Amino acid sequence: MSLLFCDIEKRFRGGPTIRAAFETPADRFSVTVLFGPSGCGKTTILRCLAGLERPDRGVIRCGDATWLDTSTRAFVSPQQRGVGFLFQDYALFPHLSVGSNVAYGLRGLSRAERRRRVSEMLDMMQLSGLERRSPRTLSGGEQQRIALARVLVRRPRFLLLDEPLSALDTVVRESLRRELRQLLISFGIPCFIVTHDRHEAMALGDQLMVLLRGTVHQSGPLDAVFSRPANTEIARLLGIESVIPAKVVHADNGLATLEVEGGKTRLVVTSPLPAGQSVWLCIRGEDVSLYTGAGGTTSARNQIPARVISLEHEGPVVRVILDGGFHLVALVTRNAAADLGLQPGAMVTAHIKAPAIHVVPR
Amino acid sequence: MDWTAIWLTLRLAACTTVILFFLGLPLAYWLATTRFRGRFLVEAAVALPIILPPTVIGFYILWATGPRSPLGQAYQSMTGSMLPFSFAGILLASVLFNIPFAVRPFASSFAAVNRRLVEASWCLGVSRFQTFLRVVLPMSWTGILTGLVLTFAHTVGEFGVVLMVGGSIPGVTRTISIAIYDDVQALNYAAAHRTAIVLLAFAFVALCIPYAIQRRALPL
């Protein structure tokens, strides 16, 4: 198995020192999201992988090739690395047509072969007919697809995407998330995506790396990181205590019934998604209320019997980690926890109102 | 009209412009992209001719290329002639004196090219030199044309440096502006008038070109 190995350190004068050490498979599709607040060094890491930035210390290896080794002064230029970089503002060449933009990086091919590849790529990206247009006259979504086409037509080993959706307005952004994910899957090239938007991270990623002040604080499968943040700082950054994989089993007039993956639990949410759609369910800890004993009638559509696994005290509130067939976190006040007699092993019923569950389609 | 002087002037201006095109582009691109901390020193040196009196530059060129200087002796042993009071001499002076008029517009238009576009080109496997030709040059042609027009026009109107280094040898170093000076000295005002009005019209038309193609203010 071929690996991308990265262990780098980059210092900025008057800024944080960026440190990143990780390895990922280089020959298998997976989207790794670099997630963190702005200024935490996400983009710098991406630029180091592309060769646009030189780390002060470290090693980057891709398979057998050493891209960077500061101890031997080895450095492979961006031209030689064969990675595709999608810039935040797409960086389309304004003096070239859409077709010439896409053909720009195709060298050493016959004219006919080049034309064939470009038109094939434009077809795949639903850009046919725009070949002669100037990219400046096209919408943000179209510009993004041109930039992707320009990169993908060279069949890169890796795809690096820097905040791929941030240049778009909010309305198109959400619909383009799913589209982008589908596109990345269809090309099957391993990707790194930088984002500071947690919903974007969820919609696009498989693996998550959380960065804070220039350092990778936690990494792993997306739902695992979201469900089990390593510390309260990461939990606060992720903002959502529970992320649960599920599938829509029944859709009815804006209300959807979902079944949690690997369990029998069913939840009701407000969502227009059709049956069969896979989703992430995001539940904030403060939206989960806990009851002991038999409750009366409640407006909350979701009542989940659960067992308390552990309690974490954070000042006036307590994070209650629950097992209700899936991992669930509730935030309650210290007094409430005492009144309910919460302790590990206790049985409770977790109530969640349907509109409090945020649904991110995958 | 002094056609010999006009022909000489056009030759001098054309040669100066061509030389500064090839010397100025790399220097300007280096200035626009380098992270070298001493860049300001080079920038200041490049801008010197703007504020330095032509006599100072002319004096140093004479001093550096005269028969007693190593440079002057080397040139003489290679070519058998001297730089001062020759066409090659005023060409050298004119190239040095016009560096800022070429390099500054070049550099400011290179600096205005979005860095991301250059990096995008590199990541698409295109070499630095090819990137310069295929992305940077096409996007900064207005600045380059401006620099070339300014250089040409400024050379046509040059007086002090040419007089210091070249004197006023008809057909060799006597340019239009020197011809006007000689005419006035000789109280030949009619001839001076005719040449001056041509120069005035030329200068105005030449300046119209960069102002018409550039939306940004000129860097000079």
Side-chain angles (χ1 to χ4, degrees):
Chain A
M1 190 174 72
S2 165
L3 282 174
L4 176 73
F5 173 84
C6 173
D7 179 1
I8 51 172
E9 194 176 300
K10 168 100 185 153
R11 287 182 289 273
F12 285 101
R13 266 194 300 167
T17 298
I18 315 273
R19 280 189 201 87
F22 56 86
E23 59 180 26
T24 56
D27 46 9
R28 170 152 54 82
F29 175 74
S30 159
V31 179
T32 306
V33 172
L34 302 174
F35 177 81
S38 49
C40 72
K42 316 178 286 276
T43 299
T44 302
I45 293 172
L46 214 59
R47 289 172 59 80
C48 287
L49 288 177
L52 295 172
E53 207 86 58
R54 282 184 196 231
D56 295 296
R57 186 201 63 72
V59 178
I60 302 176
R61 270 195 297 272
C62 179
D64 298 330
T66 300
W67 282 355
L68 172 93
D69 188 341
T70 46
S71 63
T72 61
R73 295 177 156 254
F75 179 76
V76 173
S77 69
Q79 286 91 342
Q80 305 294 315
R81 291 192 187 192
V83 300
F85 199 113
L86 190 80
F87 289 87
Q88 194 170 353
D89 55 3
Y90 309 139
L92 296 172
F93 303 122
H95 61 295
L96 298 178
S97 68
V98 171
S100 304
N101 260 283
V102 175
Y104 183 87
L106 285 178
R107 291 254 122 166
L109 298 170
S110 72
R111 181 175 277 243
E113 171 67 6
R114 195 154 63 215
R115 194 171 298 165
R116 196 188 60 75
R117 282 222 214 160
V118 169
S119 74
E120 181 189 87
M121 184 55 66
L122 290 173
D123 277 347
M124 285 181 82
M125 292 288 178
Q126 293 153 31
L127 291 164
S128 328
L130 301 178
E131 203 165 345
R132 290 174 189 286
R133 293 273 293 275
S134 162
R136 275 176 295 192
T137 63
L138 301 174
S139 74
E142 285 164 335
Q143 291 189 16
Q144 187 198 50
R145 293 207 300 277
I146 299 165
L148 266 174
R150 185 175 70 175
V151 162
L152 290 169
V153 79
R154 301 186 69 235
R155 299 171 188 166
R157 252 189 288 192
F158 276 99
L159 203 51
L160 309 173
L161 301 96
D162 189 6
E163 305 261 7
L165 298 165
S166 67
L168 305 167
D169 39 16
T170 7
V171 187
V172 277
R173 200 181 298 164
E174 285 192 25
S175 65
L176 277 185
R177 271 184 207 149
R178 282 168 70 189
E179 214 174 274
L180 181 58
R181 166 94 188 162
Q182 293 310 316
L183 208 67
L184 297 179
I185 292 173
S186 70
F187 279 93
I189 299 169
C191 302
F192 286 85
I193 299 185
V194 158
T195 182
H196 64 271
D197 180 324
R198 53 180 78 96
H199 293 137
E200 204 167 295
M202 269 186 274
L204 296 172
D206 299 306
Q207 302 284 318
L208 190 66
M209 260 189 246
V210 182
L211 279 120
L212 276 166
R213 296 178 300 274
T215 316
V216 178
H217 274 232
Q218 191 178 0
S219 65
L222 191 103
D223 51 338
V225 176
F226 265 104
S227 310
R228 294 170 197 78
N231 57 48
T232 51
E233 196 177 11
I234 294 175
R236 216 169 299 132
L237 182 68
L238 296 172
I240 305 150
E241 277 75 14
S242 311
V243 175
I244 305 149
K247 193 169 227 166
V248 181
V249 289
H250 180 66
D252 175 28
N253 254 344
L255 280 185
T257 308
L258 301 114
E259 191 168 84
V260 175
E261 255 173 46
K264 291 277 165 285
T265 318
R266 291 197 166 197
L267 297 169
V268 176
V269 301
T270 54
S271 163
L273 291 172
Q277 172 78 49
S278 292
V279 297
W280 292 116
L281 299 179
C282 313
I283 305 168
R284 300 172 68 93
E286 55 263 45
D287 291 329
V288 180
S289 39
L290 301 179
Y291 294 82
T292 49
T297 310
T298 159
S299 66
R301 288 298 84 193
N302 300 300
Q303 302 172 28
I304 304 138
R307 195 163 52 83
V308 176
I309 296 176
S310 62
L311 303 169
E312 293 167 9
H313 295 267
E314 287 174 24
V317 295
V318 181
R319 283 163 62 87
V320 187
I321 317 295
L322 300 158
D323 178 6
F326 54 91
H327 184 93
L328 185 66
V329 178
L331 279 185
V332 299
T333 59
R334 209 165 38 203
N335 296 349
D339 288 350
L340 290 168
L342 292 183
Q343 48 183 290
M347 289 304 294
V348 294
T349 308
H351 289 200
I352 313 158
K353 296 169 90 171
I357 302 179
H358 186 83
V359 181
V360 178
R362 316 216 3 153
Chain B
M1 286 294 243
D2 188 345
W3 292 106
T4 320
I6 289 177
W7 172 235
L8 174 76
T9 308
L10 292 180
R11 252 170 53 217
L12 178 68
C15 291
T16 306
T17 308
V18 169
I19 290 172
L20 276 177
F21 177 76
F22 288 106
L23 289 183
L25 283 185
L27 176 58
Y29 194 58
W30 180 80
L31 276 177
T33 55
T34 184
R35 291 180 188 175
F36 174 55
R37 278 192 215 159
R39 185 184 72 175
F40 71 97
L41 293 171
V42 182
E43 280 180 315
V46 161
L48 262 184
I50 295 176
I51 52 160
L52 216 52
T55 44
V56 173
I57 294 181
F59 171 72
Y60 277 120
I61 291 172
L62 276 181
W63 177 75
T65 61
R68 282 191 212 151
S69 77
L71 189 68
Q73 284 166 0
Y75 184 82
Q76 192 168 25
S77 67
M78 275 194 316
T79 63
S81 58
M82 290 299 299
L83 270 174
F85 309 107
S86 71
F87 182 76
I90 58 170
L91 182 59
L92 173 70
S94 165
V95 164
L96 290 176
F97 195 55
N98 275 293
I99 287 175
F101 294 89
V103 169
R104 283 162 58 95
F106 293 174
S108 86
S109 65
F110 289 155
V113 173
N114 183 353
R115 190 81 194 139
R116 299 278 161 277
L117 298 180
V118 174
E119 291 178 341
S121 172
W122 293 352
C123 288
L124 291 166
V126 177
S127 71
R128 282 165 183 254
F129 182 64
Q130 284 288 328
T131 298
F132 179 74
L133 293 183
R134 293 172 67 191
V135 176
V136 179
L137 274 189
M139 296 199 62
S140 42
W141 68 269
T142 52
I144 292 164
L145 188 62
T146 299
L148 296 179
V149 169
L150 286 179
T151 301
F152 191 92
H154 190 246
T155 309
V156 167
E158 203 168 280
F159 178 73
V161 171
V162 177
L163 190 63
M164 284 287 284
V165 177
S168 176
I169 306 167
V172 180
T173 61
R174 197 166 102 115
T175 60
I176 309 178
S177 50
I178 293 173
I180 295 173
Y181 179 72
D182 287 347
D183 285 340
V184 173
Q185 293 282 304
L187 302 179
N188 189 355
Y189 292 139
H193 243 307
R194 278 197 302 275
T195 322
I197 197 80
V198 170
L199 264 191
L200 179 67
F202 166 78
F204 182 72
V205 171
L207 278 179
C208 281
I209 296 172
Y211 281 110
I213 57 171
Q214 291 232 337
R215 280 187 217 131
R216 283 172 283 131
L218 279 183
L220 278 171

